[in-house]
Amino acid sequence: MIVPGGSSQALAAALSAELGEPLAAVTYDRFPDGETYAAVPEFDAERAVVVATTDSNDAWVELLQLQDAVREGGAREVVTVLPYMGYARQDRAFEDGGPVSARAMARAVSTGTDRVVLVNPHETSISDFFDVHVTVCDAAGRLAEPLPGDLTDPLFLAPDAGAVELAESACAAYGRGETDYFEKTRHSGTDVEVTPSDADGRGRDVVIVDDIVATGSTMSEAIAHLNDGGAERVFATCVHPLLARSARTKLERAGVERIVGTDTIERDVSAVSVAPVVASAVDAVEVA
Ligand code: R5P
């Protein structure tokens, strides 16, 4: 059975259709003292696929509760899909005495599952923090699907060197175009500077591809540079459309043509599902 976390209900339904496995009924509740309570009252399957984006502290707790509930319900195998893994960017201690938060979360999740599926984690190396087998999947290719088919001389651009492979995946899935990247310097959590590359966006449709749009600082800087340089249209695409705080406004003010994200985080810009990619990853490994 596919068991949805509260933040991943649309993706869980899409995955259920993709895998041909029933979608479990789940109740999400809260006690008067604020504690969350997530339950799967009629769980009845050998395998539970718990699909839960952890974009809030409550979502993390809910995930642990769902893992426990399906074990109580008799699941012999538990697969945990983290479409978007919160805390993944805290993958090292930033100061003496600081936590490696991604590792703490990974360890907690590992106690309730046989294996894990991650979609475009910020760094693939965080899979080492889990105590169970991890399958990492790349959904960047899915971002090509909602794009118009008539892009003019398309340039798929990564806003920093770390996202080049994502731009290449999206370009390959689109079927034509060139890829390049900007250099990025981050001065603070919200202050980002991007330096244009050799690629000339003048008169072209440019598709910026990143793993996540969080505060929107990176993406809006890149959009503004491209528009200043005479790009025809600039599309902002990302796997995880977190769109925190004023991110949406920053992108609009920078002159974005359209924002396209997947359903790892369910937003109004989630124009395409990662379900086919996740389904392949779920079925790829059998745990005895
Ligand atoms: C950073 O390396 C990531 O790939 C994203 O570019 C970054 O997390 C986006 O964050 P923000 O939207 O806050 O600039």
Side-chain angles (χ1 to χ4, degrees):
M1 287 185 104
I2 310 300
V3 180
S7 299
S8 293
Q9 298 182 52
L11 174 54
L15 191 61
S16 159
E18 197 74 36
L19 288 170
E21 293 183 25
L23 185 62
V26 175
T27 54
Y28 314 104
D29 232 320
R30 191 177 290 281
F31 285 102
D33 61 2
E35 289 181 351
T36 64
Y37 181 84
V40 197
E42 293 163 15
F43 181 80
D44 181 21
E46 292 272 301
R47 174 168 91 166
V49 180
V50 182
V51 186
T53 269
T54 50
D55 55 349
S56 68
N57 290 347
D58 280 353
W60 274 109
V61 176
E62 239 178 48
L63 166 59
L64 300 179
Q65 291 175 327
L66 292 174
Q67 288 178 323
D68 206 68
V70 294
R71 286 276 193 221
E72 278 291 302
R76 295 183 55 193
E77 185 192 359
V78 179
V79 182
T80 299
V81 180
L82 291 170
Y84 167 71
M85 179 181 167
Y87 288 93
R89 290 186 293 170
Q90 294 187 42
D91 58 353
R92 61 188 172 84
F94 299 126
E95 57 181 9
D96 287 349
V100 181
S101 303
R103 184 180 58 200
M105 297 313 197
R107 285 176 175 166
V109 165
S110 299
T111 61
T113 195
D114 296 295
R115 58 191 174 97
V116 167
V117 174
L118 298 177
V119 182
N120 292 99
H122 183 57
E123 295 287 349
T124 306
S125 56
I126 65 163
S127 55
D128 295 340
F129 292 152
F130 292 84
D131 298 321
V132 293
H133 184 277
V134 177
T135 306
V136 173
C137 43
D138 176 17
R142 300 289 295 146
L143 295 168
E145 196 178 285
L147 295 173
D150 64 350
L151 292 181
T152 304
D153 193 12
L155 173 63
F156 288 81
L157 189 92
D160 58 40
V164 169
E165 285 176 11
L166 306 182
E168 287 170 352
S169 295
C171 182
Y174 190 71
R176 64 190 173 88
E178 192 188 354
T179 57
D180 204 345
Y181 65 97
F182 279 174
E183 295 290 349
K184 178 168 95 177
T185 311
R186 184 177 280 285
H187 300 297
S188 73
T190 53
D191 185 14
V192 166
E193 187 182 334
V194 297
T195 312
S197 59
D198 293 340
D200 189 4
R202 183 170 299 278
R204 307 172 73 177
D205 285 329
V206 183
V207 181
I208 310 175
V209 189
D210 208 351
D211 58 339
I212 174 172
V213 175
T215 66
S217 307
T218 305
M219 194 59 94
S220 58
E221 275 285 305
I223 294 165
H225 268 292
L226 290 159
N227 279 330
D228 289 348
E232 185 69 27
R233 294 180 292 182
V234 182
F235 296 82
T237 72
C238 65
V239 177
H240 308 300
L242 191 59
L243 296 173
R245 299 183 186 162
S246 60
R248 184 65 181 263
T249 303
K250 283 184 188 167
L251 269 54
E252 298 292 347
R253 281 174 55 81
V256 72
E257 172 74 17
R258 184 178 167 198
I259 306 167
V260 171
T262 77
D263 55 358
T264 61
I265 301 175
E266 295 173 8
R267 298 277 190 263
D268 62 343
V269 301
S270 300
V272 70
S273 180
V274 299
V277 179
V278 171
S280 303
V282 166
D283 272 348
V285 186
E286 289 299 326
V287 174

